Amino acid sequence: MKRLLRFFVHPFVLPVIPAIIIMAAIPVSFDRYILELTGRQEIRETDFVWYGDLTGDGFSERVIIQEQDHYTAVTVYDHRNVVYHQWNLHGEIGNLIFPQSLPMTGDYNGNGKKELFLFTLSNDSIFLHMIDDLDHADPGIANRFITRIGPVGRRLDIRILPAVMDDLTGDGYNELIFAINGGFTVYPRRVYAYSVKHDTLMRSPEAYYNLNAIYQGDITGNGVNELFLHGRATANVSPLEHTYHDFSNWLMVLDQDLDFLFEPVEFPGRANHFRPVVIRHDEGPVIAALELTSNNEYPSGVYFFDAGGQPVGKKIFNLRANNIMLMDDGDQVIAITDERKGTFVFDRDFTKKRMFDDLSLGGMHFNMFRDLTGDGNQEAVVVQRVLGRVLVVNHRMSNYVEVEICSNLSRRSREILSYIEQPDAPPLISLQIDTDHYMFSYRANQAYYLGYVYYASVYAGLLGFSLLSRKIQREQMRKKIRTEKKITELQLSLVGNQLNPHFSINAINAVIHTIREKETDMAADYLRCYARLHRNLLLSAESVHRTLREEIEFCEDYIALEKMRFSNAFTAELEVADGVDLDRNVPKMIIQAYVENAIKHGLTHKKGEGRIYILLKQNFNRLTIKVTDNGVGRMEAARKNRLSTQMGLEMMQDYYALFHKQYKDAITQEVSDLYDADGNALGTQVIVTIKYAKEKQ
């Protein structure tokens, strides 16, 4: 416990807790990237805003698509807000659903300019339009019939699902690839590839699997992407109605001719989504088909297939997954969201790498991936409908930043996500949700590395303050101790100086007495003895203590002086027991003061021979001094000498208190009267005990 306490009060540990509190109370964002809402405006309910670089000059054009009666108006503006043209296209877009991109763009002929493709619905027919020359008033393609729809079920819900343009035929020109999917409007549910060059349309085999998106990847290794269909078992078409019904999920992969690469593989049972992707392994690419479900009876899992559709393994997760996102930064990472637990990030072997308990992936967008920083890596823009937030996930799915845009988004809200390209600067993010248009900037945080400096500075500042406070406190303590020590030394010196004159006055009185008695020889001896004692006092005037040996010698000289003064009227015996350390320091006059008191008050008034006995004993770190006389006792002495104030004993008591304060040595004195069996006074005994605070070094 003491060791733990010493750890927490260590000067380098103490600042940690206040540093954490300060950082929590004053949060400073030092994220590597910053996502910022830079603009918001309300637009008309019939207007749709989309941005894209159509001319190849590095600037995005602004495309405004407006619903009109029986036609759709398309207006294109350049980056200076100058109108190129307006094109009025036959049909309407209001009854079509564009869950990922309202217009589609692509460079079919490789001239560096992008064509703008748009679908409209007229009666029961879907038409394709293409604007390829912004300086020309007529569209390059107008009213190209694609397919009919129907029958309409509970509501019209035709979805246009885009894919990236690709050269499927090998003629050097890219085809426009897309899917048309009906929900309650069951037909069509097919993938199409339109050749602008040859004005031909390819169709996938008839199937009634409910499609959500198209994923493109090369599973065969021929250098051309196959089409992997993301779908959902919605139970609108039963097994009795068609082989490829939507009471099950299906692994469907289309080749370059839009035929099935292999016979579709059925996954019976309803699930939220079924999303196959291509995972690269050292042994070769495999299809990882992820079945995402929120049903407790069907845990989410990933099923692995080779290029021929044969199963090669599976992995089941204890998750109720409802979304998945795959990012390819050269070493693919996969994120799976469980709304109860958060988002789990896996490597390409589906080994868990990390988890975000507060991250939920939003809807999948055809153009959600884009290099927003110019570093060659793609970020993902995700719209969280339920939370009303937009976030950008970095290419390794190791962190993300977010911006709140509203409290809640309807699941039926129309989203149009696009990017505003600008030369020599990262693109801006354009997002239209119903009648609200938002613009965001995503950029590297120039102050990112200052975060380390900030946190280090907070800790260093608190550490410096702590060390400075401790230093000041210790210095004040040392100053206080030095002051108290000086005061104590002065007090000790004062008391010592009071004792010295006290003795000197008595000695001078004795000399005067002998001179009056005309005992000159005795007076001369007395003065010589006194001179020796006084010299001893002068030499030790600066000290408050001396060795026991020196104190004994001083006391013996004093006794000799007093014996001459009283004509040898008393005897004195000093006994030093074995084991007494004569080199140990003791307070000055600790023996002499009591001998003097015994002579002055006890023996002066005694009839007959007086006697003083001094005994020194030592027991380990405790020294005992016992002074015994056979005088008249304290009561008789007080009666005969009423002017006595016992000044010497009182000063010695103060002397001991100051000595203890300074040196921590505890000194006690005990004075007692001695009586015989009949109660007659036999003298006085003083016992002084010194308990040394430290052993002698």
Side-chain angles (χ1 to χ4, degrees):
M1 187 64 183
K2 290 183 179 179
R3 190 174 294 177
L4 185 63
L5 182 62
R6 283 197 300 269
F7 170 78
F8 281 109
V9 299
H10 192 278
F12 285 91
V13 178
L14 275 176
V16 172
I17 295 178
I20 294 174
I21 294 173
I22 290 175
M23 293 173 193
I26 311 175
V28 178
S29 175
F30 289 106
D31 293 324
R32 189 165 197 138
Y33 294 95
I34 298 175
L35 177 64
E36 183 179 7
L37 177 63
T38 58
R40 176 180 179 178
Q41 68 178 94
E42 187 174 349
I43 59 179
R44 293 187 302 178
E45 187 176 353
T46 56
D47 289 2
F48 304 93
V49 181
W50 182 91
Y51 287 87
D53 181 11
L54 302 176
T55 61
D57 62 354
F59 290 99
S60 282
E61 281 67 43
R62 179 164 57 98
V63 180
I64 304 295
I65 303 171
Q66 297 173 307
E67 292 182 344
Q68 304 291 343
D69 291 335
H70 307 298
Y71 73 93
T72 298
V74 179
T75 307
V76 179
Y77 300 80
D78 67 9
H79 66 280
R80 298 165 298 180
N81 205 34
V82 176
V83 177
Y84 280 104
H85 273 294
Q86 176 178 312
W87 296 265
N88 295 326
L89 308 178
H90 176 70
E92 301 172 345
I93 62 172
N95 290 322
L96 296 178
I97 300 173
F98 301 88
Q100 300 176 44
S101 181
L102 180 54
M104 293 177 59
T105 61
D107 183 7
Y108 86 92
N109 56 11
N111 66 356
K113 297 182 179 181
K114 291 183 179 180
E115 294 75 39
L116 183 71
F117 299 92
L118 189 67
F119 296 90
T120 61
L121 176 65
S122 179
N123 296 321
D124 64 348
S125 299
I126 295 177
F127 295 93
L128 172 66
H129 313 271
M130 181 187 75
I131 298 172
D132 60 344
D133 189 348
L134 300 183
D135 295 321
H136 200 279
D138 295 326
I141 296 176
N143 306 321
R144 175 60 163 89
F145 174 78
I146 301 298
T147 188
R148 284 188 170 85
I149 65 169
V152 178
R154 284 181 284 177
R155 65 173 182 269
L156 180 63
D157 54 355
I158 296 296
R159 302 162 68 90
I160 308 297
L161 307 175
V164 178
M165 293 187 75
D166 200 359
D167 183 8
L168 298 179
T169 60
D171 62 354
Y173 292 88
N174 291 323
E175 281 74 41
L176 179 70
I177 304 171
F178 58 93
I180 300 177
N181 185 79
F184 296 111
T185 306
V186 174
Y187 182 85
R189 296 183 180 180
R190 276 184 172 175
V191 177
Y192 300 84
Y194 175 70
S195 171
V196 178
K197 174 66 176 176
H198 304 290
D199 190 27
T200 56
L201 186 68
M202 293 190 296
R203 301 175 179 85
S204 65
E206 184 180 67
Y208 285 89
Y209 183 40
N210 197 332
L211 305 180
N212 291 129
I214 301 173
Y215 170 81
Q216 293 162 271
D218 183 10
I219 187 63
T220 60
N222 63 357
V224 182
N225 288 328
E226 284 75 37
L227 307 180
F228 299 78
L229 306 186
H230 290 189
R232 181 179 180 184
T234 52
N236 286 324
V237 179
S238 71
L240 298 177
E241 298 176 79
H242 200 278
T243 302
Y244 307 123
H245 52 82
D246 65 358
F247 272 70
S248 298
N249 276 310
W250 296 86
L251 173 61
M252 288 184 177
V253 183
L254 304 178
D255 61 15
Q256 289 77 37
D257 297 322
L258 297 193
D259 289 328
F260 291 130
L261 183 66
F262 48 78
E263 184 67 20
V265 180
E266 182 179 9
F267 284 78
R270 296 186 60 181
N272 275 356
H273 297 281
F274 191 78
R275 290 180 173 165
V277 294
V278 175
I279 302 296
R280 297 188 305 272
H281 287 282
D282 296 336
E283 300 80 10
V286 297
I287 303 171
L290 297 113
E291 188 175 36
L292 311 179
T293 177
S294 59
N295 191 330
N296 287 325
E297 297 180 5
Y298 299 96
S300 301
V302 56
Y303 302 85
F304 301 99
F305 300 86
D306 61 18
Q310 297 301 311
V312 293
K314 67 179 179 179
K315 185 177 180 65
I316 304 299
F317 301 104
N318 185 26
L319 298 173
R320 288 169 52 187
N322 57 14
N323 216 331
I324 182 169
M325 183 167 66
L326 181 143
M327 294 189 73
D328 193 346
D329 67 341
D331 190 19
Q332 296 167 308
V333 289
I334 303 104
I336 299 177
T337 292
D338 183 327
E339 288 188 350
R340 304 168 305 163
K341 300 179 180 179
T343 294
F344 299 82
V345 180
F346 303 87
D347 60 17
R348 63 184 182 180
D349 295 320
F350 285 89
T351 301
K352 182 180 173 183
K353 298 180 69 174
R354 65 187 67 91
M355 175 191 174
F356 298 101
D357 57 6
D358 56 349
L359 172 63
S360 176
L361 300 177
M364 302 293 291
H365 280 267
F366 162 71
N367 58 342
M368 70 184 299
F369 302 106
R370 185 64 60 97
D371 180 7
L372 297 175
T373 60
D375 61 358
N377 297 306
Q378 290 190 328
E379 286 76 31
V381 179
V382 179
V383 180
Q384 294 181 316
R385 290 176 173 269
V386 175
L387 300 176
R389 298 186 299 186
V390 174
L391 56 88
V392 177
V393 184
N394 75 330
H395 66 285
R396 294 179 180 174
M397 291 189 188
S398 58
N399 60 68
Y400 64 92
V401 290
E402 63 187 19
V403 170
E404 185 173 340
I405 55 175
C406 58
S407 60
N408 192 3
L409 297 177
S410 168
R411 292 188 179 273
R412 298 186 180 277
S413 298
R414 174 174 288 182
E415 301 170 14
I416 302 176
L417 177 65
S418 59
Y419 301 92
I420 306 174
E421 307 289 345
Q422 44 193 349
D424 304 322
L428 301 176
I429 302 169
S430 168
L431 176 64
Q432 179 182 343
I433 302 179
D434 295 332
T435 59
D436 290 314
H437 180 248
Y438 304 90
M439 292 179 64
F440 306 90
S441 67
Y442 180 77
R443 63 187 186 278
N445 185 2
Q446 301 299 322
Y448 169 70
Y449 292 103
L450 292 178
Y452 299 103
V453 178
Y454 168 73
Y455 296 125
S457 298
V458 171
Y459 172 75
L462 290 173
L463 176 61
F465 178 77
S466 175
L467 293 176
L468 181 61
S469 298
R470 289 169 67 92
K471 183 177 180 181
I472 293 174
Q473 187 178 28
R474 286 180 176 177
E475 185 59 34
Q476 289 177 339
M477 186 63 68
R478 290 193 197 100
K479 186 176 180 180
K480 181 180 179 182
I481 292 173
R482 286 196 301 266
T483 302
E484 290 182 350
K485 182 177 179 181
K486 188 66 177 177
I487 292 172
T488 304
E489 288 176 347
L490 290 173
Q491 290 173 327
L492 282 169
S493 179
L494 176 62
V495 173
N497 290 336
Q498 287 175 330
L499 285 172
N500 291 342
H502 183 69
F503 165 75
S504 298
I505 291 170
N506 289 335
I508 292 171
N509 287 334
V511 173
I512 293 172
H513 175 74
T514 57
I515 292 174
R516 284 177 178 172
E517 295 295 327
K518 300 181 188 250
E519 297 175 358
T520 55
D521 292 338
M522 183 181 294
D525 293 338
Y526 203 90
L527 285 174
R528 280 192 295 270
C529 189
Y530 170 75
R532 187 168 60 250
L533 287 176
H534 197 65
R535 179 177 177 275
N536 189 304
L537 289 173
L538 290 175
L539 290 176
S540 62
E542 297 298 324
S543 176
V544 295
H545 53 68
R546 55 188 165 207
T547 65
L548 183 58
R549 188 188 311 277
E550 292 170 340
E551 177 65 19
I552 292 173
E553 291 174 354
F554 180 84
C555 189
E556 287 175 340
D557 284 341
Y558 172 76
I559 292 173
L561 188 63
E562 289 293 82
K563 287 176 70 176
M564 284 189 292
R565 175 187 171 194
F566 290 101
S567 302
N568 294 315
F570 66 90
T571 61
E573 180 184 357
L574 191 149
E575 181 182 352
V576 179
D578 294 337
V580 175
D581 186 359
L582 297 178
D583 295 321
R584 197 72 186 256
N585 285 335
V586 296
K588 282 186 355 179
M589 298 184 177
I590 194 168
I591 302 176
Q592 183 272 336
Y594 298 105
V595 171
E596 178 185 352
N597 209 52
I599 296 171
K600 179 179 177 182
H601 298 290
L603 301 181
T604 301
H605 306 289
K606 179 178 176 59
K607 295 179 179 180
E609 183 180 5
R611 183 171 58 86
I612 298 176
Y613 176 68
I614 305 167
L615 175 63
L616 305 179
K617 294 190 301 182
Q618 184 170 339
N619 184 13
F620 296 104
N621 213 34
R622 186 187 300 268
L623 175 66
T624 302
I625 301 171
K626 184 184 296 184
V627 180
T628 307
D629 67 72
N630 64 345
V632 297
R634 287 186 297 170
M635 290 184 62
E636 181 65 18
R639 187 177 65 81
K640 292 183 177 295
N641 187 9
R642 298 186 181 186
L643 297 178
S644 174
T645 59
Q646 294 187 329
M647 178 180 174
L649 291 179
E650 291 175 0
M651 283 193 298
M652 291 303 293
Q653 191 67 46
D654 295 339
Y655 194 42
Y656 298 154
L658 291 170
F659 206 89
H660 173 67
K661 183 177 181 182
Q662 179 66 23
Y663 301 106
K664 308 305 179 186
D665 296 336
I667 306 175
T668 60
Q669 65 176 5
E670 180 183 349
V671 183
S672 57
D673 295 311
L674 303 177
Y675 298 95
D676 61 12
D678 297 328
N680 298 316
L682 294 180
T684 306
Q685 184 179 77
V686 179
I687 300 176
V688 179
T689 303
I690 303 176
K691 184 179 180 182
Y692 291 100
K694 297 180 180 179
E695 294 287 343
K696 183 179 178 182
Q697 301 298 321

